[in-house]
Amino acid sequence: MNERHDEGPHEHDRGLSYDLPVLARRRMIRLMAGASLVPLMGCTTEEKTPAASASSSSSSSAACAEIPEETAGPFPGDGSNGVNVLKESGVVRSDITKSFGDSAGGTAEGVPLTITLTVVDAASGCGTPKKSAAVYLWHCDREGNYSLYSEGVTDENYLRGVQETDDKGQVTFTSVFPGCYAGRWPHIHFEVYGSLADATAATSITNTSQLAFPKDVCDTVYATDGYDASVRNLSSLSLETDNIFSDGHAQQLATMKGSAEEGYTATLTVPV
């Protein structure tokens, strides 16, 4: 089961009347960001050398582009399409590999993955962390299924969780590498909220976007046990033809470290 199956309509299956406003917003964001490409590419959490800091001091407060706005897809679990996991006790957690609460209690299997998102203030040039914001993150399992929605895992709620950003604007989730299902490049969904209270009340989303994975890492992970279908699905896809990342993915491509044997870490800076 995946986003294209019958449990819920995929965004690109809802027709032009639904797609055009979404695509128009995303393209407008990228057009507005084009004039500030240099500051955008410098939107990282890496330390600068004294010389670099001095040379860039005049532009350090300039706004950088916000993370591209993307669809939450048909399986968000945030109340916008049926079930709402955000109001369940236990959803605020760092380890999202297991189901919680009144669910079936299953555990998602796969190559270990640690995900760290750093939420920063775009208006300050990405230099100021967004403390005490919140991130709701979710993705499919190794088989390409979404808990709460896909056949066989409707009683599970694993691979979903919420965290409050720390003083560095960071949240870190322990998970497993998602599979690749037909029609979509391997990805992770996330929503940013102004506060933890907003997130657990499922209200006032400030940003919705997706994280993409580099192809070489996907190839390595999918060569391991349990990802057989992902090998076939990935072979017919590319970042350039994916219906979400085709119009640009520079801000959404995760930085990866690790190995299939020891597990991977994925990091991404999220300007909001």
Side-chain angles (χ1 to χ4, degrees), residues 58-263:
S58 62
S59 61
S60 60
S61 61
C64 66
E66 290 187 12
I67 193 77
E69 188 76 7
E70 307 290 9
T71 174
F75 311 124
D78 61 1
S80 62
N81 185 19
V83 65
N84 190 342
V85 75
L86 295 177
K87 294 185 177 181
E88 294 186 18
S89 176
V91 72
V92 180
R93 59 195 186 136
S94 59
D95 187 341
I96 61 174
T97 57
K98 298 178 176 61
S99 290
F100 64 93
D102 296 329
S103 70
T107 300
E109 302 293 338
V111 171
L113 176 67
T114 300
I115 308 146
T116 296
L117 303 183
T118 302
V119 184
V120 296
D121 181 19
S124 69
C126 295
T128 303
K130 297 284 283 187
K131 297 181 288 186
S132 300
V135 175
Y136 168 43
L137 181 145
W138 73 98
H139 62 84
C140 71
D141 61 19
R142 182 171 62 180
E143 287 75 33
N145 297 320
Y146 283 88
S147 67
L148 302 175
Y149 293 90
S150 300
E151 183 178 358
V153 293
T154 55
D155 291 333
E156 303 289 355
N157 56 20
Y158 53 51
L159 306 182
R160 300 177 184 272
V162 175
Q163 282 199 75
E164 184 178 37
T165 59
D166 61 17
D167 288 347
K168 296 180 180 179
Q170 293 184 338
V171 293
T172 298
F173 294 91
T174 300
S175 191
V176 295
F177 203 95
C180 176
Y181 52 84
R184 277 304 319 276
W185 188 261
H187 62 283
I188 286 177
H189 295 269
F190 60 89
E191 294 172 344
V192 180
Y193 292 79
S195 68
L196 187 61
D198 285 345
T200 53
T203 185
S204 301
I205 300 170
T206 64
N207 302 82
T208 302
S209 196
Q210 298 182 23
L211 172 154
F213 292 99
K215 184 179 186 302
D216 60 339
V217 175
C218 294
D219 287 336
T220 300
V221 171
Y222 295 161
T224 64
D225 292 342
Y227 288 96
D228 297 349
S230 294
V231 175
R232 179 181 64 256
N233 292 331
L234 188 68
S235 66
S236 62
L237 296 169
S238 72
L239 280 163
E240 290 69 31
T241 60
D242 180 73
N243 69 315
I244 296 299
F245 301 121
S246 58
D247 58 352
H249 53 265
Q251 279 187 280
Q252 296 159 285
L253 192 63
T255 297
M256 305 293 299
K257 293 183 180 180
S259 66
E261 294 76 19
E262 300 295 328

